[in-house]
Structures are given as structure tokens and as C-alpha cells.
Amino acid sequence: MLDLTLAAPDPLLLPDLSAAIANAAPDPELNSYRRPGITPALVNAVKPTWGWDPASWLAVNGGYEGILLLVQSSILPGQHVAVADPSTPRLLDILELAGVVVVPVATDADGPVPESLKQALTKQPVAFIYEPCANSRSGTNMTPARRDLIAEVLRDTRVLIIEDDGLGDLALGPYAGLGALLPSQTVLVRSYSKSHGPDLRLAVVGGPAEPLERARLYRQFGAGWTSRTLQNALAWMLTSDAVKA
């Protein structure tokens, strides 16, 4: 019997984390109390798959921590946030905790619906949050044609675009998000828990410098940084032909 309540990966199909740790490049800053945003090895490993060259990077303890940090550091209670409908319950919980006003944006098989997003913008949201790949409810990916239409709607606005990618390399289609067209507004949060192991507790955030720096500074009150050992273990897995296979 399968337990579908957690949407968890099959442990038998995940890479060997112990092998990844054993093969991870030793970090020269290991045991330092300096608080790095991300290790150089992990940046080099994720760059080829990102889709554009962000101004800044940050490693965090899972995708939802990345979204939580962005919401808490960039959005004030009472502000409006446009959110793709349907979205994950955890995202809606985060927004409720932050005290923001959710403005739903309809989606279809191609992604967010442009007319619905235009209507949401009349509420003057400060951010738009959606899943560009493998929508958690429908499994669909945003198409390049729809991406172009959504980019035109958001161009010339100050809306912070937060992309939630929970599957990464497991998505059935290529990333066709907004980062390449609107790099100064778009932050991509990509989790590697389902693809490479939940105990990594790792996601990478890439986007413009200002919101990532706010998130990094906010994080200093808590975790501070993500384990360099685990970051470099993920970097090894992302570049290992055996793991890719």
C-alpha cells in the first residue's frame, strides 16, 4: 500500500547520500563561523540548469524555508500577494502566518491565465507566487508561449515574482519560467529534496540581489547558513553521471 498523503519520493530510487558526502569536495571554510550564502561548488553545479544568470544565490534548508524567508523579509502584513490557484496548502499557510491578503490567479493547462493576473494586479499586489514546473495539483508546466504573455503583463511593474519549483530535475518538461525575461523581478526557489533526498534539507534560491540579501540577513536570526557539507554533497550529485542516470 502506498501512502499518498506526503507526496514523498520512493526511497529506493533516491541517490546514495552517504556516497555523496564521501565524494563531496572538502570546503575550505568548514568549521568556520562565517555565514556564507552558498558554496562555490553548489553555485557551479546549479548554474547550467538555471535558465538564466541570477545576480545572487542563496542555499536554504528546503524550498518552503526559501519561500518563508522571502515572504517574511519582503512582504508586510496586510499587503496583497497574487497567488496561482490552485497552490500548495503549505504555501497558503505561510502566507496566512505572514498576515498577507491572498489574491487568487486562475491557472489552466498552460500556466497562470493572463487575464486573471491582470485582474489581480488591480489590487496592487507586491508579489506574485506560482509554480513554473510540475504544478503540485495538476502536474502541468507553464509553456513558453504562456510565459511570454505573463511576462508582458508583469513587465514595467514592481511586482516581485517568486517561482516555487518543488521537483527540479524530476519535472516532466523544461523550465519555462520568467527569470530569463524578467531577471530583475524573478526569484526561483528550487528544491532538491524530492529529487536527491529529503534529508539534504536543501533548496537553492537564485534571483536579484536585493530580495535575496534581505532573506539572507533575516536568516541570521535563526539557522544562519546551510551545512557546507550537505551543499557540496548535492553539488557532487548534480555533476555525477551515475546520479543523473
Side-chain angles (χ1 to χ4, degrees):
M1 184 173 66
L2 295 176
D3 180 1
L4 300 180
T5 61
L6 294 177
D10 184 344
L12 297 177
L13 298 179
L14 290 172
D16 182 356
L17 184 54
S18 61
I21 292 175
N23 284 281
D27 196 289
E29 292 291 315
L30 191 66
N31 296 325
S32 168
Y33 265 86
R34 295 181 185 275
R35 301 186 174 195
I38 192 170
T39 67
L42 186 51
V43 170
N44 291 333
V46 300
K47 268 186 175 181
T49 66
W50 210 255
W52 85 99
D53 189 15
S56 189
W57 299 93
L58 183 65
V60 294
N61 296 341
Y64 283 122
E65 190 199 34
I67 293 173
L68 177 65
L69 289 169
L70 289 166
V71 169
Q72 290 179 323
S73 60
S74 291
I75 303 172
L76 297 174
Q79 289 185 318
H80 289 70
V81 175
V83 181
D85 181 21
S87 286
T88 65
R90 181 69 61 84
L91 170 61
L92 298 177
D93 288 343
I94 288 172
L95 296 174
E96 182 180 6
L97 177 67
V100 306
V101 180
V102 171
V103 183
V105 175
T107 59
D108 60 21
D110 293 332
V113 176
E115 288 303 319
S116 183
L117 180 57
K118 288 179 183 177
Q119 184 62 34
L121 291 183
T122 64
K123 302 291 186 181
Q124 298 184 315
V126 296
F128 170 49
I129 305 177
Y130 80 107
E131 295 172 284
C133 305
N135 182 281
S136 58
R137 289 296 176 264
S138 65
T140 57
N141 289 10
M142 184 160 74
T143 64
R146 179 60 57 84
R147 172 203 59 200
D148 294 347
L149 294 175
I150 293 296
E152 284 306 308
V153 174
L154 292 169
R155 199 181 305 278
D156 300 324
T157 73
R158 297 176 61 86
V159 173
L160 176 65
I161 304 162
I162 301 175
E163 298 184 329
D164 175 14
D165 180 4
L167 286 188
D169 291 346
L170 294 182
L172 296 179
Y175 165 80
L178 295 161
L181 300 181
L182 301 173
S184 65
Q185 292 174 249
T186 305
V187 179
L188 172 60
V189 182
R190 177 169 289 163
S191 171
Y192 295 90
S193 295
K194 289 185 171 65
S195 59
H196 290 78
D199 219 54
L200 281 169
R201 306 310 312 132
L202 249 171
V204 174
V205 185
E210 187 174 342
L212 266 69
E213 179 63 6
R214 286 196 297 264
R216 189 191 68 80
L217 292 174
Y218 191 91
R219 200 178 190 219
Q220 304 312 301
F221 294 100
W225 75 90
T226 293
S227 164
R228 299 174 182 89
T229 300
L230 294 179
Q231 289 190 58
N232 289 346
L234 175 60
W236 178 83
M237 286 192 280
L238 290 172
T239 55
S240 162
D241 290 337
V243 172
K244 289 178 184 179

